[in-house]
Amino acid sequence: MAVGKAAESFSKAFVEEVQRWGAMKQTGVSLRYMMEFGARPTEKNLLISAQFLQKELPIRIARRSIELESLPFGLSKKPAVLKVRDWYLDSFRDLRSFPEIKDTSDELAFTEMIKMIKVRHNNVVPAMALGVQQLKKGLNPKVVPTDLEEIHEFLNRFYMSRIGIRMLIGQHVALHDPDPAPGCIGLINTRISPMLMAQAASEDARSMCLREYGSAPEVNIYGDPSFTFPYVPSHLHLMVFELVKNSLRAVQERFPDSDKHVPPIRIIVADGIEDVTIKISDEGGGIPRSGLPKIFTYLYSTAKNPLDENYGGLNDGITMAGYGYGLPISRLYAQYFGGDLQIISMEGYGTDAYLHLSRLGDSQEPLP
């Protein structure tokens, strides 16, 4: 179903409905609101949550579908991007054709359907990465990265919106768990230890480094293991894992001979009044100043692209260095709940990554 065929594949009425919903106002929620609302997952509250999602998700999905139609440099016509657009339009249709939610049995059926939507969209990030690769291959080398700013801005909005959609669906689904872990409200752990989480993410990153290089630098973690705050464990793991993975790779490649002393990666967890900050420091040689602006773009990676050009079933395989999306996407995860990610580098020495996480949980989701 190519872009030009959208009108043929879908009735005019359907295309108009997507446009109409895409023009509606989105409603943002905060971490605090999700915690307070989810603290009592009664049938009535689950019903209210499902009714909210039945109206909110089609708006968010329609907006992205419309944007996917009009990307610059012909990106909209790349096979991988067309595939993503199909997933979004299929999900919009599923949501809009679901009858009004009136009781618990409707709510349970709706929950099953949005679970399926979440699975359908599992591979959106690698598929879009592949589309960008397909675009870069065919681009005139004279097109300078600043010309691609529009694509970068689109991908920022697109991935931020995806984080929000997946958080809303995941939270609603998780509230049905009859036996949640202590301190957990849906996807949110109200008493997460950033130090223990950093430990787990570091171990995962080290085992990947060991598989790839045969050895891995040590990771030393400093902080108070008893300190906890409310956050989404899967988001925190993803960000710390990504940053530690980058540091391990930089150090490993700077000190390939493991007989020499290999400097460890240092992680410091600080609990401030507004922010919890996790600093990840390495002595992996740093990044040249000219390269720093590029690290948060989606069109730059120092690593070879592991994606299969023959667009197949796109699995979620993780390699030590991916398609250059780890840092920009980690920053979006941090910003989603009001935090941020900063990278400070000393070329010839190493890099410090500062992951700021908002402690207050009050900031609304960004609504691109």
Side-chain angles (χ1 to χ4, degrees):
M1 176 182 85
V3 174
K5 292 188 188 155
E8 296 161 35
S9 315
F10 296 108
S11 66
K12 187 161 175 276
F14 179 74
V15 175
E16 282 170 0
E17 189 176 16
V18 172
Q19 295 287 346
R20 195 164 56 80
W21 279 79
M24 292 182 194
K25 190 174 182 299
Q26 304 172 94
T27 306
V29 289
S30 66
L31 185 68
R32 182 183 296 240
Y33 177 79
M34 285 189 215
M35 280 198 303
E36 288 170 359
F37 182 84
R40 290 177 54 254
T42 56
E43 285 191 358
K44 180 173 181 265
N45 275 353
L46 290 170
L47 196 63
I48 291 167
S49 170
Q51 288 163 343
F52 167 71
L53 293 182
Q54 190 174 25
K55 184 169 188 310
E56 182 64 18
L57 292 174
I59 298 175
R60 297 191 185 198
I61 287 172
R63 284 186 171 224
R64 304 288 73 90
S65 310
I66 293 164
E67 270 207 300
L68 282 165
E69 293 274 11
S70 54
L71 301 177
F73 299 108
L75 183 56
S76 294
K77 306 225 175 24
K78 298 297 172 205
V81 178
L82 290 172
K83 186 122 188 149
V84 172
R85 198 211 48 182
D86 288 1
W87 292 335
Y88 273 75
L89 290 173
D90 288 345
S91 297
F92 178 82
R93 178 186 270 154
D94 288 351
L95 286 160
R96 290 296 301 129
S97 55
F98 195 89
E100 191 187 343
I101 302 166
K102 294 198 174 81
D103 56 30
T104 296
S105 72
D106 293 346
E107 187 275 320
L108 289 171
F110 179 78
T111 302
E112 285 308 308
M113 182 197 63
I114 60 174
K115 261 193 213 170
M116 292 301 298
I117 287 177
K118 191 163 181 258
V119 170
R120 175 187 287 146
H121 291 245
N122 274 351
N123 287 314
V124 161
V125 176
M128 288 303 291
L130 187 56
V132 171
Q133 281 305 111
Q134 290 165 343
L135 174 75
K136 272 171 76 177
K137 266 190 140 176
L139 269 186
N140 180 334
K142 290 198 178 77
V143 176
V144 282
T146 49
D147 293 345
L148 300 173
E149 186 62 27
E150 203 182 329
I151 289 177
H152 171 73
E153 292 298 325
F154 158 73
L155 288 170
N156 257 348
R157 287 193 303 274
F158 185 78
Y159 291 135
M160 182 65 93
S161 168
R162 179 176 188 269
I163 291 169
I165 290 167
R166 292 181 85 74
M167 181 68 204
L168 292 181
I169 293 177
Q171 181 68 2
H172 179 81
V173 169
L175 288 175
H176 287 77
D177 183 350
D179 186 24
C184 286
I185 297 172
L187 297 180
I188 303 158
N189 183 339
T190 58
R191 298 194 296 273
I192 193 169
S193 158
M195 189 153 171
L196 295 179
M197 184 52 88
Q199 226 159 351
S202 299
E203 279 162 22
D204 290 350
R206 282 193 81 238
S207 55
M208 179 184 282
C209 187
L210 278 165
R211 281 201 304 278
E212 192 123 332
Y213 294 102
S215 64
E218 291 296 320
V219 178
N220 298 335
I221 305 177
Y222 307 90
D224 175 2
S226 64
F227 164 67
T228 63
F229 79 120
Y231 209 73
V232 179
S234 56
H235 290 193
L236 187 51
H237 185 281
L238 177 144
M239 294 183 284
V240 176
F241 172 82
E242 191 57 47
L243 294 167
V244 173
K245 187 186 77 173
N246 287 350
S247 287
L248 289 170
R249 181 163 69 98
V251 171
Q252 192 60 43
E253 292 187 353
R254 191 179 187 207
F255 299 92
D257 182 358
S258 54
D259 295 343
K260 289 207 183 89
H261 168 68
V262 178
I265 279 115
R266 290 182 309 282
I267 300 180
I268 300 168
V269 177
D271 48 315
I273 294 166
E274 287 184 18
D275 282 352
V276 174
T277 303
I278 300 174
K279 179 170 110 166
I280 296 162
S281 301
D282 69 59
E283 294 176 35
I287 302 160
R289 216 151 41 99
S290 62
L292 274 173
K294 297 179 191 162
I295 62 174
F296 285 112
T297 77
Y298 298 95
L299 302 147
Y300 164 83
S301 172
T302 51
K304 205 161 88 358
N305 189 304
L307 278 174
D308 178 13
E309 277 294 339
N310 310 316
Y311 178 74
L314 275 180
N315 60 26
D316 269 332
I318 308 174
T319 56
M320 265 309 269
Y323 19 79
Y325 281 31
L327 281 176
I329 284 188
S330 294
R331 183 165 68 173
L332 293 180
Y333 272 99
Q335 290 170 343
Y336 178 70
F337 283 127
D340 206 0
L341 170 61
Q342 293 170 307
I343 305 285
I344 295 172
S345 186
M346 287 173 74
E347 190 188 6
Y349 180 73
T351 302
D352 290 341
Y354 290 85
L355 180 59
H356 303 283
L357 307 168
S358 171
R359 254 188 102 153
L360 309 173
D362 286 333
S363 67
Q364 294 280 78
E365 321 168 74
L367 292 175

